[in-house]
Amino acid sequence: MGQAAARFDYGFSGESGTTDDRVQEHSFGWGAGEGRGVQPLAVSIFADRGYLRAEMAEDAAAAGLRVAQTSDLERLVSDAAAPGLGDLVLVDCPVIDGLELAALSRLDSCAAQSGSQLVVSTSIGSLDDVFGCLDQSEAQILVTPSRAERVIAMGRVLARTGNRVRELGEEDRLTLLRLTEQVTNIAARLEQLSPGNAADVESASAFRFNGEGGEAGPARLDEGTDRLVRTARPPLPDPRLVRKIIRQRQLRARFFEGDLFADPAWDMLLDLTAARVEHVRVSVTSLCIASGVPPTTALRWIGQMTDAGLLQRVDDETDRRRAFITLTDKAADAMARYFAELGSSANALV
């Protein structure tokens, strides 16, 4: 994607949409390509709130990105063809209607084809609709983000596109994911103390997942025939037990600071384990709530757990605009074996 900037026409007629003169076609600071003769990454910004467009443009320029265009969401809806995107597209749609959903879905498809990186911010009330539209481009979704969280999202794009990050081991990636959360919290507190200051971080992340096999379970050697056979997977635990464990974990927040016990990956695995046995579909909004962390942080974990083969996206057969999250067979197998290993002692967890 590092060469994507050369593939786009950043010219903007001004007849449909608006462009801020003070940020159009400029490159500032320490950004990608500075001093090396490489064109800076170009960013397109779409938001209805004028002050937010200006704020995002200012932060993008400070990060060394070239602001190619800024416009309201009507530009995405009214254009018969998708506008020239650039390397990064920032979209803010806290409340979204049918036309904007269609435009966002089209933008997602165009970004997937062109290699553009999408960062879409929305509200918790529109999260399920937005999530349902973004299934091709691996977009970053932010929920009511602070300015610092938007800057961190841009930093992640720079890390992906700049070829400046070495191949990381699994432990390094998980460490960086947790570091990103810490930087987000620190940046938010600094923002409260000194408005206008933001942080940037280059991060990537993943999980180590040691689950083996699918529903049939791991292989073992049969002593009688010396043949490799599969052991039967134990059943998933009683969902009532899992729900009790979840309630017990949530109870701690009544007496202690919630951040002390934040473990979003495990909380989501527990919730999805119970839902699988109950034959209940879990929306991304519901799963974010179950995680016990802010929605933007939860979405980051969902993305990494999906990449690791723990979670999967399942489209709603009756409404293609909606999607749900469920355990993969490997994850269900691992959860079943975990609770089987605990045996009767699992009751001591509640």
Side-chain angles (χ1 to χ4, degrees):
M1 243 283 293
Q3 302 300 319
R7 297 201 305 269
F8 291 92
D9 176 12
Y10 301 123
F12 190 50
S13 65
E15 296 179 359
S16 58
T18 60
T19 303
D20 296 336
D21 293 336
R22 60 196 176 102
V23 297
Q24 184 184 17
E25 301 289 11
H26 287 291
S27 169
F28 299 84
W30 43 264
E34 183 183 13
R36 298 193 299 272
V38 179
Q39 188 177 27
L41 302 180
V43 58
S44 298
I45 298 170
F46 298 96
D48 283 338
R49 294 176 285 184
Y51 79 90
L52 188 56
R53 290 199 302 270
E55 185 179 275
M56 289 192 289
E58 179 182 347
D59 291 337
L65 302 174
R66 184 168 67 90
V67 180
Q69 59 178 314
T70 65
S71 181
D72 55 26
L73 293 177
E74 186 178 353
R75 173 78 191 276
L76 291 178
V77 175
S78 60
D79 277 7
L85 299 181
D87 302 284
L88 169 62
V89 184
L90 303 177
V91 181
D92 179 66
C93 49
V95 179
I96 193 165
D97 59 24
L99 290 176
E100 291 172 348
L101 283 171
L104 194 60
S105 179
R106 183 186 65 192
L107 181 64
D108 178 62
S109 177
C110 292
Q113 295 175 15
S114 66
S116 297
Q117 301 283 324
L118 287 186
V119 177
V120 180
S121 56
T122 187
S123 64
I124 192 69
S126 298
L127 176 57
D128 283 331
D129 290 333
V130 170
F131 181 80
C133 290
L134 303 176
D135 62 345
Q136 300 181 53
S137 66
E138 299 184 355
Q140 293 186 66
I141 303 177
L142 311 178
V143 180
T144 317
S146 65
R147 188 171 186 176
E149 287 175 324
R150 285 196 177 90
V151 171
I152 289 172
M154 285 190 282
R156 298 183 74 205
V157 171
L158 289 173
R160 291 177 183 175
T161 59
N163 295 322
R164 296 184 294 276
V165 178
R166 65 181 174 87
E167 288 298 323
L168 299 175
E170 299 296 339
E171 291 185 4
D172 291 335
R173 292 176 182 273
L174 183 56
T175 298
L176 281 174
L177 177 56
R178 295 191 181 280
L179 178 61
T180 300
E181 295 175 26
Q182 295 172 12
V183 170
T184 301
N185 293 334
I186 293 171
R189 294 182 182 182
L190 288 176
E191 201 170 48
Q192 293 174 354
L193 295 173
S194 179
N197 292 333
D200 183 15
V201 65
E202 293 183 347
S203 77
S205 52
F207 289 80
R208 174 184 289 118
F209 178 54
N210 293 324
E212 303 242 354
E215 294 287 339
R220 64 173 177 81
L221 194 64
D222 182 74
E223 296 180 358
T225 62
D226 290 335
R227 297 173 62 183
L228 200 63
V229 297
R230 293 279 182 179
T231 58
R233 190 194 79 181
L236 285 166
D238 186 329
R240 293 171 296 182
L241 171 63
V242 180
R243 295 296 182 195
K244 286 181 180 180
I245 295 173
I246 293 172
R247 285 194 294 271
Q248 182 266 348
R249 291 172 62 82
Q250 294 172 342
L251 182 62
R252 297 174 301 188
R254 290 177 52 185
F255 305 99
F256 301 96
E257 179 65 34
D259 291 344
L260 289 173
F261 306 106
D263 192 0
W266 185 240
D267 287 327
M268 288 190 284
L269 287 173
L270 288 172
D271 187 72
L272 290 172
T273 297
R276 185 177 177 115
V277 182
E278 296 165 341
H279 302 289
V280 173
R281 298 189 296 186
V282 179
S283 69
V284 67
T285 298
S286 176
L287 193 58
C288 286
I289 295 171
S291 72
V293 294
T296 296
T297 302
L299 288 167
R300 191 180 299 124
W301 280 96
I302 290 171
Q304 295 305 323
M305 294 171 75
T306 300
D307 291 343
L310 292 169
L311 309 183
Q312 62 186 352
R313 175 193 178 110
V314 178
D315 291 329
D316 189 341
E317 296 180 355
T318 61
D319 185 351
R320 301 298 294 179
R321 296 172 299 178
R322 298 189 63 191
F324 302 95
I325 304 294
T326 185
L327 295 176
T328 62
D329 288 342
K330 285 186 177 182
D333 179 75
M335 293 298 288
R337 294 183 182 282
Y338 168 77
F339 276 95
E341 187 76 15
L342 288 178
S344 60
S345 64
N347 290 316
L349 297 177
V350 296

